[in-house]
Amino acid sequence: KVLSVRDDEPQSHRDLALARGERWEQQGKEEDFHDAVKGLYHVVCHSWDRFPEIELIALMELNRLIHLGKKSNISVQEEIDSRLIKHLDLDVRISMSWDADLVDIDLHVDEPTGETVNYSHRDSAIGGHVSRDFRDGYGPEEYILHRGYKGTYKIRAHYYGSHQQGVAGPCTVIVHVYTNYGRKDEHRECLMLRLEESGSDFKVGSITI
């Protein structure tokens, strides 16, 4: 239903594709796998004015899905540019989105070395990387790390506020946290937090390696 009324926004296509992919992982219905691949590839292959580089995040998710499909002996039926297919496994992946348009929320990750990675400092000495800052709503913003450094990674959300007229109200962030992303021992948790007040910094959770 969301996609039918907001098909001009990449989040609608991505969210539906991720839901179908998750259902495929749980129930094994091959139709869901192919629908998920189509949805993510649609995001990858289009240009989105308000959300530049969201296609890079969708590409990461698409490659994970294709890799899992191969492990289950499912061949990709869709015509996908072979130059875009590469298994991209990670020690840590954090993906954050939120439920309100025209809202600026930023993902911050405090690494165990003491370095903080965020929109203004996107790359760290140990290889951590934060995706492009989305200031107009929904996200996602992503942190990736191919080879982890031992210690605790603290996940924070900074709620800068709304670009709409009036006072920004509460907003909910949804954070998907992965360790061993795209590997057979992958572990995933979904964290949700209600941000009550703009201009504040909120601790969402942490990962210990």
Side-chain angles (χ1 to χ4, degrees), residues 10-11 30 35 39-41 53 71-72 75 80-81 96 107 120 138 140 145 147 161 171 178 201:
Q11 292 87 352
E30 193 168 325
D35 286 341
L40 289 173
Y41 194 53
E53 297 186 18
K71 292 289 186 181
S72 299
S75 59
I80 296 178
D81 190 330
M96 183 179 77
L107 173 64
S120 63
Y138 303 127
L145 179 64
R147 288 287 176 259
C171 181
Y178 298 83
D201 196 75

Side-chain angles (χ1 to χ4, degrees), residues 36-52:
V37 169
K38 289 177 184 177
L40 289 173
Y41 194 53
H42 179 82
V43 177
V44 170
C45 291
H46 287 75
S47 179
W48 309 95
D49 292 338
R50 291 179 58 207
F51 306 99

Side-chain angles (χ1 to χ4, degrees), residues 2-3 9-22 39-40 43 54 61 97-98 138-140 174 176:
V2 172
L3 179 60
E9 294 181 336
Q11 292 87 352
S12 303
H13 298 272
R14 175 179 175 265
D15 288 349
L16 180 56
L18 292 177
R20 283 172 166 161
E22 186 169 336
L40 289 173
V43 177
I54 191 174
E61 294 161 339
S97 56
W98 48 95
Y138 303 127
I174 304 97
H176 292 276

Side-chain angles (χ1 to χ4, degrees), residues 94-96 98 105-109 117-119 130 141-143 155-158 175:
I94 301 165
S95 175
M96 183 179 77
W98 48 95
I105 299 175
D106 286 328
L107 173 64
H108 294 240
V109 178
V117 192
N118 55 33
Y119 72 97
V130 164
E141 294 188 9
E142 175 186 67
Y143 170 86
I155 306 164
R156 294 184 287 119
H158 191 94
V175 181

Side-chain angles (χ1 to χ4, degrees), residues 2 34 37 39 79 85 114 122 128 166 174 191 197 199 201 206:
V2 172
H34 294 295
V37 169
E79 293 186 8
I85 300 177
R122 295 175 59 189
I174 304 97
L191 310 175
E197 184 179 356
D201 196 75
S206 62

Side-chain angles (χ1 to χ4, degrees), residues 22 69 134 152 178 186:
E22 186 169 336
F134 288 145
T152 299
Y178 298 83
E186 176 185 282

